[in-house]
């Protein structure tokens, strides 16, 4: 573990080096007791939370040796890169010194070999961690494994949970990227106004930390609430820049209008901001009443098909859509063989009652009563069992991440499938072309929803890419 070189720790009172807290808030210990001061209770909570975040021992909780910072690495802007995982794996094998990042629960072969599992391909090649989510009552996995296409003869298995493989997001700016209480509001919970995790399924930093301790650190005893409060306090002081901290303070204080966290921009970056506000801000926010960067803007009449929505499928899962027309009108980068190994086929039986949700079997837009989906990650569908594909459904829908500091946090997307921001824009070029073909009236394509014929004026042009990239790198 290296000392953070970035903004990550600037707000904290303690300085972290080599896994030991030096110069802790009141005197040079790695002991949370040393953080207790009478005069500054918030500072003391942040200080204790920072110790907790880096604590591999978790006395009394019976963990597996992992600290939060084993995945949310200080040196990597509090995320995990495939390169860092690979280096740590090589170091562990060369020195024989255990590294708790590599625990059987995150090995590819865990479901087959249990505690003896040792295949860390997802972790070291792709930087992905196993996330296990209970299957909704109306969703089953099929026995065709990662085969694409899954044969029609495939049968449901007895599995009750799904494993998906997800990137470790940075914990920067989490003070303003949880549930925001703002519109647009999604039709179904959990957290219809945004939440933590890539699928928005968790409501508070405390519950997030508890879930992480149980699943990633395998604790057998839950920590006291104060332990989780301290972790939340620490994480809430970690920002991608001082300007985002100022924005967070202003949101908390109810200031109006809120400050714009952008630094001074060059003319090229300023041109890129105009493109961003047209082509990206409808989902990534950044403007208007809640410029947290994770609250979509309001557009169209909420509750009708003209409105921008909260959660989205942007075709980042595997396998990627392929155009059926030749020559292809849009081309996504194909997923690698390693990514394709994480694909499963799900069968969703829609009873017409929750969580299946809606009447089925009638003419479109009603979904069929049984839907099969082959995907590396069903996204929010795993939370709801809601079967409809596309805009109104949950299949492959994810939360809109904040893009603050994004120039420093590659690779990108929930499955690390874009190595660079250039690749991200290539993806969106294909995405916009496909949406324009499939759903030309989609509100995300237009600033003038509901106008016939549809006015497609949001997608960026090839000529605008240099400016957009320059702005993204300044965020
Ligand atoms: C084994 C690796 C690992 C460990 C250890 C770990 N996390 Fe995470 N963390 C993840 C992954 C993967 C996700 C995304 C999961 C998802 O979206 O389903 C995540 C997501 C998060 C998020 C949500 C960020 C956002 O923008 O929504 C927070 C906050 C967080 N972790 C905090 C913690 C804390 C606090 C701890 C320690 C108690 C911890 N994590 C331990 C891998 C880890
Ligand atoms: C239709 C809504 C929508 C639009 C429009 C949109 N995004 Fe996204 N974006 C998302 C969602 C949802 C995710 C999360 C998907 C995932 O992780 O796979 C995401 C993820 C990203 C990520 C990855 C962030 C990370 O840390 O991994 C980047 C970068 C990004 N978008 C940039 C952009 C840019 C640049 C534009 C404009 C050209 C844009 N987005 C337009 C919804 C959108």
């Amino acid at each position: 573990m290296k000392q953070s070189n970035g903004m990550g720790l600037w707000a904290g009172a303690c300085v972290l080096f080599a896994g030991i807290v030096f110069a802790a808030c009141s005197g040079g210990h790695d002991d949370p007791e040393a953080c207790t001061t009478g005069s500054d209770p918030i500072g003391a909570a942040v200080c204790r939370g920072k110790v907790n975040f880096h604590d591999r021992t978790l006395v009394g909780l019976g963990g597996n040796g992992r600290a939060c910072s084993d995945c949310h690495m200080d040196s990597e802007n509090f995320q995990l890169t495939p390169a860092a995982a690979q280096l740590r794996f090589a170091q562990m094998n060369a020195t024989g010194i255990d590294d708790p990042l590599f625990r059987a629960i995150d090995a590819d072969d865990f479901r087959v070999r249990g505690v003896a599992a040792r295949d860390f391909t997802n972790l070291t090649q792709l930087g992905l961690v196993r996330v296990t989510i209970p299957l909704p009552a109306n969703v089953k996995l099929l026995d065709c494994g990662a085969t694409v296409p899954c044969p029609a003869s495939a049968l449901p298995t007895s599995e009750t949970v799904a494993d998906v493989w997800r990137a470790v997001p940075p914990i920067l700016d989490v003070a303003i990227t949880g549930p925001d209480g703002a519109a647009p509001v999604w039709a179904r919970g959990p957290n219809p106004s945004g939440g933590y995790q890539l699928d928005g399924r968790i409501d508070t930093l405390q519950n997030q930390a508890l879930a992480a301790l149980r699943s990633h650190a395998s604790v057998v005893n839950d920590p006291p609430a104060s332990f989780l409060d301290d972790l939340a306090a620490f994480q809430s002081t970690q920002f991608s820049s001082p300007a985002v901290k100022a924005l967070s303070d202003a949101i908390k204080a109810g200031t109006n209008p809120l400050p714009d966290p952008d630094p001074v921009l060059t003319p090229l970056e300023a041109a890129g901001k105009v493109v961003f506000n047209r082509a990206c801000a409808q989902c990534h926010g950044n403007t208007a009443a809640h410029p947290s960067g994770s609250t979509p803007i309001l557009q169209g009449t909420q509750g009708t098909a003209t409105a921008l929505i909260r959660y989205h499928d942007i075709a980042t899962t595997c396998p990627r859509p392929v155009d059926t027309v030749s020559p292809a009108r849009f081309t996504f980068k194909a997923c690698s063989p390693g990514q394709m190994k994480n694909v499963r086929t799900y069968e969703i039986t829609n009873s017409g009652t929750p969580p299946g949700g809606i009447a089925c079997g009638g003419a479109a837009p009603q979904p069929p009563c049984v839907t099969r989906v082959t995907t590396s990650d069903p996204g929010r569908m795993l939370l709801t069992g809601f079967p409809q594909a596309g805009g109104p459904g949950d299949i492959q829908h994810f939360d809109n991440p904040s893009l603050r500091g994004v120039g420093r946090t590659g690779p990108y997307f929930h499955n690390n499938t874009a190595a660079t921001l250039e690749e991200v824009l290539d993806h969106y070029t294909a995405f916009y072309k496909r949406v324009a073909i499939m759903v030309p009236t989609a509100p995300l394509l237009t600033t003038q929803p509901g106008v016939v014929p549809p006015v497609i004026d949001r997608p960026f042009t090839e000529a605008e890419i240099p400016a957009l990239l320059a702005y993204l790198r300044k965020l």
Side-chain angles (χ1 to χ4, degrees), residues 435-436 439-443 445-457:
V435 179
V439 202
T441 55
L445 295 174
T446 184
T447 59
Q448 300 168 48
V451 175
V452 183
V455 181
I456 297 182
D457 57 2

Side-chain angles (χ1 to χ4, degrees), residues 35-57:
C35 294
T36 312
T37 63
S39 54
D40 177 13
I42 294 172
V46 170
C47 178
R48 288 190 303 268
K50 179 174 193 168
V51 174
N52 298 349
F53 194 84
H54 297 91
D55 182 4
R56 283 176 162 175
T57 316

Side-chain angles (χ1 to χ4, degrees), residues 421-445:
L421 288 173
E422 283 84 348
E423 280 187 35
V424 166
L425 294 191
D426 285 348
H427 182 86
Y428 277 110
T429 298
F431 170 76
Y432 268 132
K433 284 184 184 166
R434 177 167 182 260
V435 179
I437 292 163
M438 313 277 293
V439 202
T441 55
L444 65 93
L445 295 174

Side-chain angles (χ1 to χ4, degrees), residues 79-82 122 125-129 131 164-170 197-199 276 279-280 283-284 312-318 320-321 331-336 339 342 376-377 379 396-403 405-432 460 468-469 472:
Q79 55 162 4
L80 181 73
T81 58
N122 261 306
Q125 302 298 313
L126 307 173
L128 303 180
V129 171
V131 174
V164 287
W165 292 87
R166 291 191 179 159
V168 181
Q197 299 291 48
L198 303 171
D199 55 10
F276 184 94
C280 315
C283 298
H284 290 285
H312 293 273
D313 171 7
I314 58 158
T316 46
T317 49
C318 301
R320 298 271 161 83
T331 312
F332 289 100
K333 190 177 100 176
C335 290
S336 67
Q339 295 280 3
N342 297 333
S376 55
D377 197 326
Q396 294 170 167
H397 279 48
F398 292 92
D399 195 9
N400 309 302
S402 165
L403 300 182
V406 78
R408 300 184 289 275
T409 57
Y412 303 103
F413 296 137
H414 72 280
N415 50 3
N416 283 340
T417 44
T420 61
L421 288 173
E422 283 84 348
E423 280 187 35
V424 166
L425 294 191
D426 285 348
H427 182 86
Y428 277 110
T429 298
F431 170 76
Y432 268 132
F460 58 95
L468 184 52
L469 280 173
L472 290 173

Side-chain angles (χ1 to χ4, degrees), residues 66 68 71-72 166-167 169 196-198 201 208 212 216 235:
R66 279 179 170 170
C68 310
C71 293
H72 301 280
R166 291 191 179 159
Y196 294 108
Q197 299 291 48
L198 303 171
R201 71 184 179 281
Q208 163 70 46
H216 301 310
Q235 293 183 89

Side-chain angles (χ1 to χ4, degrees), residues 41-53 174 204-210 213 223-237:
I42 294 172
V46 170
C47 178
R48 288 190 303 268
K50 179 174 193 168
V51 174
N52 298 349
F53 194 84
V174 289
T204 63
L205 287 172
Q206 283 85 343
N207 285 335
Q208 163 70 46
L210 181 60
L213 287 166
S226 60
F227 184 94
L228 303 174
D229 289 342
D230 292 345
L231 270 173
F234 164 65
Q235 293 183 89
S236 300
T237 61

Side-chain angles (χ1 to χ4, degrees), residues 135-170:
L135 289 170
N138 65 324
V139 179
K140 295 266 180 277
L141 278 156
L142 298 184
D143 64 2
C144 55
T147 309
V148 181
C150 178
S153 58
L155 295 172
T157 68
S158 59
E159 290 160 282
T160 55
V161 297
D163 288 333
V164 287
W165 292 87
R166 291 191 179 159
V168 181

